[in-house]
Structures are given as structure tokens and as C-alpha cells.
Amino acid sequence: GIHRALGVHISRVRSLTLDVWEVSLLDMMAAMGNEKANSVFLCHLTDANITSAATREERDTFIRRKYVEKAFMRARGSELQWKPQNLAGMLYHAVRSQDIVKILESIAHGADVNEASMDENACTCLMQAVKSDFIIGIELLCQNGANID
């Protein structure tokens, strides 16, 4: 329904009965869960959360505000950390420390998953995740546009 209408560049919807769920995707979803994902996308929720009694229009508005406008996200800590020039480093550090919430948070704020690190290795986040056998991180990066070539 509503999530599917957002397009795959914003929300990748999978059917429990119609789609095939790879083990790595299941592991990533289990590791992330709603609580961790919502800690990023709803960390600054000031309006009342959507209820089961909400109309389709109210649900549509809420979901668009959550994922398209990112209206409920807020910069944690210093506002400076969310500047574009800092996002790639934050993402790379999150991958190195295997922090899936920080990975999602960096990506949600606009980090380029394909940008190479500025350290001596000059490798991408995906390369770092592969080096450290961080399967959940590999899946999360790939689901968010990491180039595997």
C-alpha cells in the first residue's frame, strides 16, 4: 500500500508470502528491528504517533512525513556532525564499529554509501564491511545503494 507507493528509492517493501527473503536480509531485519529503526526515523516525534484507528489519508501523511520528509529525525549531539562533509566519515566509522543504528542514521541523513574513506586504506564502507565479515552491514549497505562492482 502506502510504503510501496513511495518507490524503492525510499522504501523497499517485501511481502512475507510473495517475496523470497534471503538469509542475510532476514538477519539484517532481525538485528535492526522496529525499535532501532524507529530510534532513527522517529527520534524527534512531537506529534501523537499514528494509531490503528487512523484513516488511510492520515497513515499516508504520517508515513510520507516519516520517510520522505524525515520530519521526525533530528541531529543527535552536535549539529555540525550532520554536514555532508562529515557524513561519509561517520558512516565509515559506524561500519568499522559495526553499529547498525549509526549506519542507518548516517544513510538517512544523506551519507554516500559509495564514498571512499579518507584513511590510508581508501576503501568504501562496503569494502570495510566485507573485510570484517560484517554480513548485516553488507546487507544494510547493499539495500541502500552500495555499488558491488
Side-chain angles (χ1 to χ4, degrees):
I2 298 166
H3 286 89
R4 232 177 253 285
L6 296 176
V8 296
H9 63 291
I10 294 176
S11 177
R12 292 207 173 123
V13 179
R14 304 255 197 236
S15 167
L16 292 175
T17 56
L18 300 176
D19 292 319
V20 174
W21 287 66
E22 299 85 14
V23 172
S24 59
L25 180 59
L26 284 170
D27 290 345
M28 185 206 61
M29 296 294 284
M32 181 66 70
N34 280 338
E35 186 175 327
K36 289 178 182 173
N38 283 337
S39 76
V40 172
F41 288 102
L42 296 176
C43 69
H44 192 59
L45 181 64
T46 55
D47 304 327
N49 204 347
I50 200 81
T51 67
S52 59
T55 65
R56 178 167 172 84
E57 183 179 330
E58 290 168 330
R59 289 177 195 280
D60 182 72
T61 299
F62 179 81
I63 291 169
R64 287 185 184 284
R65 290 191 70 214
K66 181 179 179 181
Y67 295 113
V68 178
E69 298 170 22
K70 299 177 183 174
F72 309 117
M73 288 176 47
R74 66 175 168 80
R76 294 182 179 164
S78 169
E79 294 288 330
L80 296 175
Q81 72 184 16
W82 301 115
K83 290 191 176 196
Q85 62 268 28
N86 297 336
L87 286 170
M90 291 175 55
L91 176 58
Y92 189 76
H93 178 72
V95 170
R96 286 189 72 170
S97 61
Q98 299 191 6
D99 185 336
I100 60 173
V101 173
K102 289 293 184 194
I103 294 170
L104 180 62
E105 192 169 40
S106 298
I107 292 169
H109 277 282
D112 180 355
V113 296
N114 292 306
E115 189 171 326
S117 70
M118 299 306 249
D119 67 9
E120 69 281 353
N121 298 322
C123 67
T124 65
C125 291
L126 183 59
M127 292 165 67
Q128 177 59 42
V130 169
K131 282 183 195 178
S132 58
D133 200 30
F134 181 30
I135 304 300
I136 292 166
I138 294 168
E139 186 66 37
L140 184 53
L141 292 166
C142 287
Q143 289 294 323
N144 285 281
N147 186 350
I148 60 172
D149 294 330

